[in-house]
């Protein structure tokens, strides 16, 4: 699975998780507990990355093959995936934060 397909699959699964979190909001009264859901969402993000990697046989700790062999940075698959998917996470967590703050 290439990084773009990984990114698309992660986005789909995270959008589903976001909907679950929004549903959970309605049963929580305390504001701090609602904010704690953002931390849980972060854990889901990292967990889904690991789950997709396992499903696809990707070793997250393995070095990612560089297009430039003289590049001394030797990044891992996990670092590349996090870099390529952080914008998805940021967008969804911002939407969740907006939802949380609008339901005080």
């Amino acid at each position: 699975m290439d990084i773009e397909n990984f990114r698309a699959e992660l986005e789909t699964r995270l959008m589903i998780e976001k909907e679950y979190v929004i549903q959970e909001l309605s049963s929580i009264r305390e504001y701090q507990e609602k904010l704690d859901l953002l931390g849980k969402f972060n854990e889901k993000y990292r967990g889904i990355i690991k789950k997709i990697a396992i499903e696809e046989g990707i070793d997250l700790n393995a070095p990612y093959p560089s297009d430039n062999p003289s590049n001394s940075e030797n990044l891992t698959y996990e670092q590349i995936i996090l870099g390529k998917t952080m914008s998805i996470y940021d967008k969804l967590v911002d939407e969740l934060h907006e939802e949380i703050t609008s339901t005080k």
Side-chain angles (χ1 to χ4, degrees):
M1 173 180 270
D2 66 31
I3 296 294
E4 286 308 311
N5 287 338
F6 193 105
R7 185 180 190 281
E9 180 64 24
L10 178 66
E11 183 172 20
T12 299
R13 293 185 192 192
L14 277 177
M15 287 171 54
I16 292 167
E17 286 300 326
K18 180 187 126 194
E19 292 306 313
Y20 286 136
V21 170
I22 289 171
Q23 288 175 4
E24 193 176 341
L25 275 175
S26 64
S27 66
I28 298 174
R29 300 265 181 248
E30 193 172 315
Y31 184 67
Q32 184 58 46
E33 284 183 52
K34 289 180 180 185
L35 287 177
D36 290 345
L37 291 175
L38 295 174
K40 287 171 76 175
F41 188 72
N42 181 277
E43 291 171 20
K44 290 285 187 181
Y45 167 63
R46 292 186 172 272
I48 292 170
I49 287 174
K50 288 177 182 169
K51 187 173 183 174
I52 295 171
I54 290 168
E55 290 169 4
E56 296 299 323
I58 298 170
D59 178 359
L60 292 174
N61 296 314
Y64 186 80
S66 174
D67 293 339
N68 183 358
S70 66
N71 187 353
S72 62
E73 272 196 53
N74 298 336
L75 298 173
T76 65
Y77 272 90
E78 183 174 32
Q79 290 168 318
I80 295 295
I81 289 167
L82 287 171
K84 296 278 186 175
T85 62
M86 189 58 71
S87 63
I88 296 167
Y89 170 79
D90 287 343
K91 177 182 153 251
L92 294 175
V93 84
D94 285 348
E95 290 172 7
L96 271 176
H97 186 266
E98 182 66 32
E99 190 75 29
I100 289 168
T101 56
S102 70
T103 61
K104 274 190 182 180

